[in-house]
Each structure stands twice: as structure tokens, then as C-alpha cells.
Amino acid sequence: MTIADQDILFLGDCVKEAARVEILPRFRNLGTADVSEKTSAIDVVTQADLLAEHRITAALKERFPAALVVGEEAYDADRSVVPALADAELAFVIDPVDGTFNFAAGLPVFGTMLAVTIRGETVAGIIHDPVLGDTVTAIKGAGAFLTRQDGQSTRLRVAEPASLSQMVGGISWGHMDDPDRSRIAANMAKIKMSFAFNCSAYEYWMVASGKLHFIGHAKLMPWDHLAGVLAHQEAGGHTAKFDGTPYRPGETTGGIISAPDRESWQLIRREIIGI
């Protein structure tokens, strides 16, 4: 099983069409009934999430009827789909609006993410910015590229390694529990500058393009990470779980760090994560 170039183009078109039809018209135009809490006031879902995922899923099922399709918003109806990613012959993982809190608040820091896995390996990833119209596309073994809305394309490259005091990065400690939460938040004072986008799409975009030195997360749902990890790796970076093992489709625990190289990863793990 392989994914062809024309399939990648099709996937990019699916994501862009969902952004154009379902997401952008609702940005800064949501009513009270269009937003619902999931697990907390900062974990929300909107009509844009639901309708965009439905549109992308329908298009994927029509072209790839035998494929496993894992959508963030459909996950609650069938949680067996995530562990099934470890062995699926072909699977697609969708985050229709990553950064939904930002989207619902009217902040233009959100994106649509789509990953392709074959037999437990991520082989392609797309991160699309509906507002700017720009897209990051990563293909296993072929690199990661940023394509602007006007068609201009550039290859992505991670930042050069730096000393801890000169690093710019972010760890999503807000989703952690104490004592990890307090320890990591305090340790972030060791770096040059800290960012918190509350949006994996933007975080992976920034770290894969060398604007950030590192990012880290404790929560590993596949729609938040598969496409971004591949983009970061194809841009020359080193990503691994907190214990040093590779991150694979179907895994949801263990924490993750993305850094320019293995030495930088070890430094972040020791000095920021504190393990």
C-alpha cells in the first residue's frame, strides 16, 4: 500500500474546500448555540468542527472506501478507532479545527490537520491555515514544504541548536497535573522566550519552520500530533516521547518533545521536563 502524488493533491484540496465552505464562514460569526463544551470551558466544539470533519470524512470514504478514518469529533462515538491505527492498512486522521478555543474566541490561530498512516507508520501530513490559505505538506522521506496561497513553495528546516538560555519554545503544561505542571512552568523561565498557542497546528508549523526551537505536550491524541511530528522530522528535527521512544500512531500516553536534534531534545527533557 502506498499513497500517490495525486492522492496528496486530493487530500490538500479536501482540506482547503472544508476550510472555505465550513470553517471560514463561521469564523467570528458563531452564535451561542454553535459552541458547546466538551470536557471543560477551554475544551469546546463548534459547528465548524463538526461540519468540516463530516465533509472531509465523506470525501475520504468516497475515494478510499476501505480506509479507516479517525476524526477528533467522531472519536467519542467509537474510541476503538485510535488503537486501530497501529495496524490499519490505510488510515486518515483528521483534526478539522485544531485550536477550537482560539477559533471560538475569534483569534486567528487555528488550523486543519490531516495525517495518512499505512500499517502503523505516518507517511503524509497536511497542516492548513484557513485564514492565510497557507499549507504545510510533509511526505515521508521527501521533506516538508510550506506552500503559500499564491502557490510559492519553500522547503522547511528546523532551527539550529542553541544554548538553553537562547531557546524559544513552548511546553503545553496547562494540560498537565501537579507536580509536573508547576515544575515545568517554573523551568520555562530558563529559556529566552516562551510561547503558548493552544494550537498544535501552529506549534508544529513554527517548530518545523525554525521559528521555535522546541515544543512539548503530555497529551498525545493522534489528530493533534501525527501530521505535525512528520513535518518536524522531515524538516530535520528530532521528536520522541518523554522516555526516548519514537511516537507511533495509536499511542496516546507518554508525553512528547520536538527539538532540533537529539542533543537538544535531551537538554529539554532534563532541564525543562525535569526527568
Side-chain angles (χ1 to χ4, degrees), residues 35-85:
V35 184
S36 303
E37 287 189 15
K38 293 166 74 174
T39 61
S40 71
I42 62 170
D43 183 17
V44 297
V45 61
T46 74
Q47 284 298 300
D49 297 77
L50 298 171
L51 294 173
E53 181 172 303
H54 178 77
R55 177 177 287 270
I56 296 170
T57 299
L60 292 172
K61 284 293 190 181
E62 182 176 357
R63 188 177 179 100
F64 308 97
L68 173 67
V69 179
V70 179
E72 177 182 9
E73 306 312 331
Y75 170 65
D76 285 337
D78 182 5
R79 299 204 166 195
S80 69
V81 294
V82 169
L85 287 170

Side-chain angles (χ1 to χ4, degrees), residues 11 15 38 49-50 52-61 64-98 112-120 122 124 126 220-227 247-252:
L11 296 175
V15 167
K38 293 166 74 174
D49 297 77
L50 298 171
E53 181 172 303
H54 178 77
R55 177 177 287 270
I56 296 170
T57 299
L60 292 172
K61 284 293 190 181
F64 308 97
L68 173 67
V69 179
V70 179
E72 177 182 9
E73 306 312 331
Y75 170 65
D76 285 337
D78 182 5
R79 299 204 166 195
S80 69
V81 294
V82 169
L85 287 170
D87 301 307
E89 182 69 19
L90 174 65
F92 299 94
V93 182
I94 311 163
D95 192 340
V97 182
D98 182 74
T112 301
M113 305 178 76
L114 189 152
V116 185
T117 71
I118 294 177
R119 294 184 293 274
T122 307
I126 294 171
L220 301 185
M221 301 313 292
W223 42 81
D224 290 328
H225 299 290
L226 291 179
Y247 169 62
R248 302 186 187 282
E251 296 180 338
T252 59

